[in-house]
Every structure is written in structure tokens, then in C-alpha cells.
Amino acid sequence: MKYPEEETTGNDTSVTEFVILGFSNHLHMVHLLFLLFMCIYFITVLGNILIIKVDPTLHTPMYFFLRNLSFLEICYTSVTLPKLLANLISEDKTISFVSCAAQMYFFLVFGATECCLLAVMAYDRYSAICNPLRYADIMNKRVCIQLAAGSWICGSLAALGHTTFIFTHPFCGSNVINHFFCEIQPVLTLVCGGTYWNEVQIIVAAAFLIMMPFMLILVSYIRIISTLLKMKSAKGRHRAFSTCSSHLTVVALFYGTAVFIHIRPKSSYSLDVDKFLSLFYSVVTPILNPIIYSLRNKDVKGAIWRMGIKICPLKT
């Protein structure tokens, strides 16, 4: 493994490059891991492209946001998996200071934007179920574009603040990141001096970014459930809730690991456990989302089926 050189000034050592360990402690499984992650990346990209390219007649706000989510998942996975694949087959596992900061920034952009977009999708379901007669007016094309753009802007600003805050601190001593990408907590462990207040500020910011959208999702579904319970038709309740089940599953998968990873002090940080959890929400969840939406949503399933017939028409 190639280790980078460091610039030395007086008694301080300034890190100019990092070493990403990834899964170096599993050398006997390198080829298997490479094939596994390459397949995951291919299926993730293909599955989400199918959602984006799904029947253009599905122009409702729900599918507009779903296409945005699928595009996010492709970007989200592309930030980490190509570098992970390269590290698995290369002796040089270094990443420059600037590249590490860029990787963290874009990973946070897509992650934070997804937090906001999931909240927007919950609001869309609330509007559709609780205000069906006014739904078309509430979620018109202009509002949908504004909500999607607002999610991207919030994600970008939050990521810029986090990344700038961390990478303006001095790094000294060890330059080895025991992770498969430049995640916040592993990088923070390499910052010089005490980082207690840094951790507090990051946890507060992460809590605001993660928990605020989550609270909006929670309030939306409390109102949705309240409305569903008032419906006299069991069939109507089931049909209405079926449009929410896919979104709820994705929310549970995404927030479950994201909350555990980011909203806690460094003292409870476990390298191996967190590496696995990060792998789950940054790699596994994006591949599951198109599967969840295509299997649990009849419109999406039907649209993908029709698109498949157009690409590969059945012979008669």
C-alpha cells in the first residue's frame, strides 16, 4: 500500500493527502467484494434510470418527486462506489486533501437533499389524501419545482457549511481514514487538538438537518392516519395507504442508519460498526429504493412493464 508524503513545518505535520483503508483488512475477499460492489453499482444505476425513464404519462407530483429521488440515488452512489472499486484493485489508496473535501461535500449534498426531498414527498401524500379536492391547486407544477429546488438549495448550503467547518481545521499526525470514503466522523478523528465543541456543533447541525425533515414527515403521517381512520370504506383506506407504503419504507431505511451515524458523540464511535452502517445507507438503500417503488406501486410496475415491452416487443 502506498502512503502519501506529508509537509512538515517546525513541530507540526500538515496532512496533504489521506489514505482510505476501505476493506484492506479483508484482502482475501478483495475480488469478491469488487464483483459484489460493481454489480450493486450497475443495478443501482440501471434501476433508478428505469424509474426516471418510466412512462412519461405519469406526470403527477408524486412521480415528479420520485424521479428526483432516483436521480439523487444515482449521484449519491456515484460519489462513493467508483472510488471504493478503484481502491479495491489498486495499491495506491490515497486521496488528495481537495478530493477528500469534494467527496464529503457532494456526499452531504445528496444526503441532505434526500432528507428534504423525503419530507416534500410526505407533504405531497398529505395533500393528496387530506385535501384531495384541492390537491391539483396545492401541488401545481410551479410549487413542485419550487419544493424540489428548495430541497437542493438546502442540501447544498448544509453540505457547504459542514465541509468548510471540518476542512478549515488543521490535520496532523495520522492521515489514515479507517473507512471506505471521506465520511464526517472518520475525518473528524484526524483533526488536531480537542474536537469536543466541533462535535457538538456538527451534531446540532446534523440534528437540525435530519430531524427537522423527519418531524415534518411525522406530522404529515399523523394527519394522514387521522384522515384514513375517518374513512368509512376499508377499500378506500387500503388504497390511500398503499400510495404511502413505499415512501414509509424508504424513510425507515434511510433515517434509521443516518440518525445513528450522525447524531451522536465521537466517544461512541465504533469504526467497524459505523463502516457497515455507512455501507448500508450509502450503498444498499439506493439499490433498494427502485425495487421498493416498483414492487409496491402498481402504476410504476405497470409503466416499467410497458416500457420493457416497447424495448423488447413480444413475438407473436
Side-chain angles (χ1 to χ4, degrees), residues 161-285:
H162 265 309
T163 308
T164 302
F165 182 76
I166 291 175
F167 282 90
T168 51
H169 283 81
F171 291 85
C172 56
S174 176
N175 63 340
V176 177
I177 299 175
N178 189 1
H179 213 279
F180 61 92
F181 73 101
C182 294
E183 172 71 293
I184 291 179
Q185 290 287 4
V187 174
L188 189 62
T189 60
L190 306 182
V191 171
C192 295
T195 59
Y196 175 78
W197 289 110
N198 299 342
E199 292 177 58
V200 170
Q201 292 178 41
I202 289 173
I203 290 171
V204 169
F208 180 80
L209 181 63
I210 295 173
M211 296 310 295
M212 282 298 291
F214 181 75
M215 292 304 296
L216 291 174
I217 293 171
L218 188 61
V219 170
S220 295
Y221 275 103
I222 288 173
R223 297 294 300 274
I224 288 171
I225 292 171
S226 176
T227 300
L228 292 179
L229 291 175
K230 294 176 183 177
M231 289 185 178
K232 295 180 179 180
S233 170
K235 186 177 179 180
R237 285 198 300 268
H238 180 267
R239 184 177 180 181
F241 189 75
S242 66
T243 65
C244 305
S245 58
S246 300
H247 180 257
L248 277 173
T249 306
V250 171
V251 167
L253 288 171
F254 182 79
Y255 276 95
T257 48
V259 168
F260 182 80
I261 290 241
H262 294 293
I263 308 180
R264 63 201 174 92
K266 190 173 66 175
S267 57
S268 62
Y269 179 66
S270 171
L271 295 175
D272 293 330
V273 172
D274 282 44
K275 194 186 294 186
F276 171 77
L277 289 174
S278 293
L279 189 66
F280 185 84
Y281 84 88
S282 65
V283 176
V284 178
T285 300

